[in-house]
């Protein structure tokens, strides 16, 4: 129990685990703790509100309601529903867990959250349930709301359980892989590691893990994959912050993955720094079925990259892009194009690089409108440029809002976000959206936009159907769209009251 001790007799609890949003994936952050808690004979219902409606009867009966907060968007959505959940069940114990929980401790406690768990949270949840389920020895369970005993942030080495995805919406309800000219594939997801060795200044992982990373044992990962393949998955998305943080763990894992599932493809997220350092392993990724690699490039401006302490330069990115082309691998770079360092000219430079490097189709339009997110605890607050640009912390938006010194930059940011939203609504291709952004950016600079060659912007690449990333600062409309539940599929493993 990692040092936790609870005395007395324990009574099984009714527990609801809630995810509000996790990038269109079936949430690992529900499936993993569900396995731990069901193993200890608690009744657990997992609710993914991005894919199903709230089960109100189960909420009213729950002893513990725990909400998973892996990212900023998920946290803002959770803040919207917490008052209603507490009104429905004022006697329940409320917990928030995941990366963004400790970063927003004060705000969450003001919303009535009694327990907050960050980092390696599964053992903390187990201890919480044991504490809450103590009885008086005569079989009378007493759910207690005593002050938190569990660590706010735990980095202990866990003995992971195989994730239990029973009772969750079917994989078919989640984001799928689009392969132009070849239809789509059903996508599963898993995690082979957590945390990160690196200290990128803007990254939300750093305030919690501070350079620590933890691996999930290979057999646990592969069994999770086996079960999802049996449920219909044709592609697996690895949700690790950086898949090559542990090269000795990652490469044997994908080799065994490919031996067992030669027809199943996958994608991973890897830093540009690691793609250069471990360049000799890139052919192995392609050989084992990797369809694309997501990489947080963030910028092609070396001054901004240095401020972020990203560990790579513009030249490194261009080198990696060329290497991927030569290997026939697909790179999906992600960006933070709008920051206090942005100028209209270097935004145009970013667009020209994407065009020249044949990466237009590789970048989701939303990526070209993202503004730098500065949450509580961010290392960006150490910088003078940030202190000059930000306003007071906004507890509703959960950020330090900032304005650019050049109004044209903020205006362009708004325009690009509107183009991205329209492209999603009207089902425009990425190439068409890029042309609209290209034109708007040049006009913001007072320059006549050069004509683009359709042949250069319309190179088909595989991509996921829900390309949203946690560094984005969503608008109100985007929050509504993300939070709108999809139709729920029936599942015979769910009992009448919803608890498994």
């Amino acid at each position: 129990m990692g040092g936790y001790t609870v005395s007395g007799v324990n009574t099984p609890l009714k527990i609801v685990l809630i995810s509000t949003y996790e990038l269109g994936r079936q949430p690992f952050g529900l499936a993993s703790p569900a396995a731990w808690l069901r193993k200890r004979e608690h009744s657990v219902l997992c609710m993914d509100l991005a894919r199903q409606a709230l089960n109100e009867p189960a909420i009213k009966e729950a002893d513990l309601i725990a909400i998973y907060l892996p990212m900023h968007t998920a946290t803002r959505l959770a803040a919207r529903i917490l008052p209603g959940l507490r009104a429905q069940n004022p006697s329940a114990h409320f917990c928030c867990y995941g990366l963004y929980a400790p970063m927003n401790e004060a705000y969450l406690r003001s919303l009535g959250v009694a327990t907050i768990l960050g980092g390696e949270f599964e053992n903390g949840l187990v201890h919480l349930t044991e504490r809450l389920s103590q009885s008086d020895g005569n079989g009378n369970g007493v759910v207690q709301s005593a002050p938190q005993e569990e660590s706010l942030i735990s980095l202990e080495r866990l003995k992971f359980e195989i994730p239990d995805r029973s009772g969750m919406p079917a994989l078919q309800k989640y984001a799928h892989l689009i392969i132009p000219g070849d239809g789509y594939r059903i996508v599963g997801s898993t995690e082979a590691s957590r945390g990160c060795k690196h200290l990128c200044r803007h990254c939300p992982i750093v305030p919690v893990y501070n350079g620590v990373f933890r691996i999930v044992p290979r057999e646990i990962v592969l069994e999770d994959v086996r079960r999802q393949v049996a449920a219909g998955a044709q592609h697996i998305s690895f949700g690790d912050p950086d898949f090559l943080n542990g090269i000795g763990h990652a490469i044997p894992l994908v080799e065994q993955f490919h031996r067992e599932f030669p027809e199943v493809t996958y994608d991973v997220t890897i830093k540009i720094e690691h793609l250069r350092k471990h360049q000799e392993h890139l052919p192995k990724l392609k050989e084992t079925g990797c369809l694309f690699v997501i990489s947080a490039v963030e910028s092609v401006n070396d001054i901004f990259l240095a401020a972020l302490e990203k560990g790579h330069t513009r030249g490194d990115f261009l080198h990696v892009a060329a290497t991927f082309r030569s290997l026939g691998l697909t790179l999906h770079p992600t960006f933070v194009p709008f920051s206090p360092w942005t100028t209209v000219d270097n935004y145009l430079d970013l667009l020209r690089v994407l065009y020249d490097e044949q990466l237009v189709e590789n970048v989701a339009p939303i990526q070209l409108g993202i503004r730098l997110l500065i949450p509580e605890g961010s290392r960006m607050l150490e910088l003078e440029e940030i202190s000059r640009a930000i306003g007071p912390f906004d507890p509703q938006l959960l950020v330090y809002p900032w304005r650019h010194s050049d109004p044209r930059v903020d205006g362009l940011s708004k325009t690009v976000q509107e183009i991205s939203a329209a492209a999603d609504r009207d089902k425009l291709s990425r190439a068409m959206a890029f042309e609209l952004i290209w034109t708007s950016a040049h006009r913001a600079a007072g320059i006549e936009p050069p004509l683009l060659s359709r042949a250069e912007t319309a190179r088909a690449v595989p991509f996921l159907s829900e390309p949203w990333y946690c560094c984005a600062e969503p608008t109100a409309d985007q929050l509504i769209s993300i939070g709108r539940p999809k139709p729920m599929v029936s599942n015979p493993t769910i009992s009448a009251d919803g608890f498994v």
Side-chain angles (χ1 to χ4, degrees):
M1 284 294 298
Y4 293 131
T5 59
V6 177
S7 60
V9 181
N10 294 93
T11 302
L13 300 180
K14 287 189 173 182
I15 302 169
V16 173
L17 302 179
I18 296 176
S19 172
T20 57
Y21 182 66
E22 196 178 6
L23 303 172
R25 300 168 179 157
Q26 193 183 68
F28 184 90
L30 298 190
S32 179
W36 287 63
L37 298 172
R38 287 171 180 155
K39 183 177 181 179
R40 289 155 178 86
E41 300 184 349
H42 297 294
S43 297
V44 181
L45 172 63
C46 296
M47 293 186 193
D48 184 355
L49 301 188
R51 290 298 184 271
Q52 62 192 125
L54 188 72
N55 185 329
E56 294 187 2
I59 292 294
K60 292 175 181 177
E61 296 178 11
D63 302 307
L64 169 64
I65 299 172
I67 307 176
Y68 177 48
L69 305 180
M71 61 191 66
H72 179 262
T73 301
T75 308
R76 287 189 61 187
L77 289 168
R80 288 186 170 200
I81 66 169
L82 268 165
L85 295 176
R86 291 188 66 213
Q88 290 181 63
N89 189 344
S91 65
H93 188 98
F94 282 83
C95 169
C96 285
Y97 66 98
L99 195 64
Y100 268 75
M103 293 169 62
N104 294 286
E105 178 187 6
Y107 180 56
L108 294 171
R109 293 202 190 280
S110 76
L111 295 176
V113 178
T115 301
I116 294 172
L117 305 171
E120 306 297 279
F121 50 76
E122 285 89 348
N123 206 18
L125 279 168
V126 168
H127 178 263
L128 172 62
T129 59
E130 292 190 359
R131 178 164 61 88
L132 298 180
S133 64
Q134 290 180 82
S135 74
D136 60 8
N138 297 315
N140 299 313
V142 181
V143 177
Q144 303 171 350
S145 296
Q148 177 168 339
E149 296 178 5
E150 298 74 26
S151 299
L152 183 69
I153 295 175
S154 171
L155 299 181
E156 64 179 312
R157 296 183 185 275
L158 300 179
K159 185 177 180 181
F160 282 92
E161 302 285 347
I162 298 166
D164 185 347
R165 299 175 182 272
S166 57
M168 297 175 69
L171 293 177
Q172 289 85 345
K173 293 293 181 181
Y174 289 88
H176 49 273
L177 175 72
I178 297 174
I179 303 177
D182 192 30
Y184 73 93
R185 296 179 187 174
I186 298 168
V187 175
S189 61
T190 192
E191 294 181 5
S193 64
R194 287 177 175 167
C196 186
K197 290 181 176 180
H198 299 271
L199 300 174
C200 303
R201 194 184 293 274
H202 66 310
C203 180
I205 298 170
V206 174
V208 175
Y209 281 89
N210 195 31
V212 173
F213 97 108
R214 296 284 183 249
I215 65 168
V216 181
R218 188 190 316 170
E219 189 52 39
I220 296 290
V221 178
L222 288 170
E223 182 58 29
D224 189 26
V225 170
R226 290 181 194 112
R227 296 181 181 188
Q228 292 182 78
V229 171
Q234 302 162 300
H235 177 92
I236 298 295
S237 185
F238 286 92
D240 308 44
D242 192 302
F243 193 67
L244 294 188
N245 261 318
I247 191 75
H249 173 56
I251 297 303
L253 172 61
V254 294
E255 289 175 332
Q256 187 171 343
F257 171 96
H258 187 61
R259 284 195 297 270
E260 287 198 41
F261 313 106
E263 302 303 318
V264 178
T265 55
Y266 68 92
D267 68 82
V268 293
T269 298
I270 303 174
K271 286 170 60 71
I272 292 294
E273 179 181 0
H274 282 165
L275 292 173
R276 283 219 69 171
K277 179 180 178 181
H278 302 299
Q279 183 171 319
E280 72 275 14
H281 293 288
L282 298 185
K284 180 63 68 177
L285 295 181
K286 183 175 174 61
E287 291 168 13
T288 54
C290 183
L291 275 191
F292 57 88
V293 175
I294 300 167
S295 190
V297 177
E298 315 301 32
S299 179
V300 294
N301 179 341
D302 281 335
I303 295 175
F304 184 41
L305 288 171
L308 296 180
E309 297 186 4
K310 278 297 297 180
H312 73 259
T313 64
R314 174 193 182 104
D316 292 327
F317 166 52
L318 296 178
H319 176 89
V320 168
T323 301
F324 270 60
R325 282 196 302 274
S326 68
L327 292 173
L329 266 171
T330 297
L331 180 68
H332 282 310
T334 64
F335 296 96
V336 182
F338 291 99
S339 75
W341 287 264
T342 302
T343 66
V344 173
D345 284 345
N346 60 39
Y347 187 82
L348 288 176
D349 179 47
L350 170 62
L351 298 183
R352 292 188 195 101
V353 168
L354 296 180
Y355 179 72
D356 291 343
E357 296 297 317
Q358 303 169 12
L359 291 171
V360 168
E361 285 285 354
N362 303 53
V363 180
I366 185 62
Q367 286 296 322
L368 298 177
I370 287 177
R371 291 170 62 85
L372 177 65
L373 188 71
I374 309 175
E376 193 69 86
S378 172
R379 289 190 61 225
M380 295 302 297
L381 297 169
E382 301 167 2
L383 298 179
E384 183 179 343
E385 292 91 335
I386 294 298
S387 63
R388 289 198 303 261
I390 62 173
F393 184 76
D394 187 324
Q396 303 302 316
L397 297 178
L398 301 180
V399 295
Y400 287 90
W402 59 271
R403 290 184 179 180
H404 200 282
S405 57
D406 182 351
R408 294 181 305 163
V409 173
D410 285 338
L412 181 57
S413 169
K414 184 173 185 294
T415 297
V416 174
Q417 289 179 1
E418 289 170 349
I419 291 171
S420 172
D424 182 60
R425 181 186 66 242
D426 300 335
K427 308 301 180 186
L428 299 183
S429 70
R430 291 182 172 187
M432 293 175 67
F434 183 87
E435 288 188 41
L436 293 172
I437 294 169
W438 174 270
T439 298
S440 297
H442 281 83
R443 287 177 177 168
I447 301 171
E448 187 64 25
L451 292 177
L452 297 174
S453 166
R454 283 291 174 91
E456 292 300 319
T457 60
R459 299 173 185 273
V461 297
F463 61 93
L464 296 177
S465 62
E466 194 161 342
W468 186 264
Y469 299 96
C470 63
C471 58
E473 184 176 331
T475 65
D477 287 343
Q478 287 165 342
L479 276 176
I480 292 170
S481 175
I482 292 168
R484 186 179 294 120
K486 279 64 176 178
M488 182 179 176
V489 296
S490 60
N491 192 318
T493 64
I494 301 180
S495 61
D497 64 0
F499 292 97
V500 177

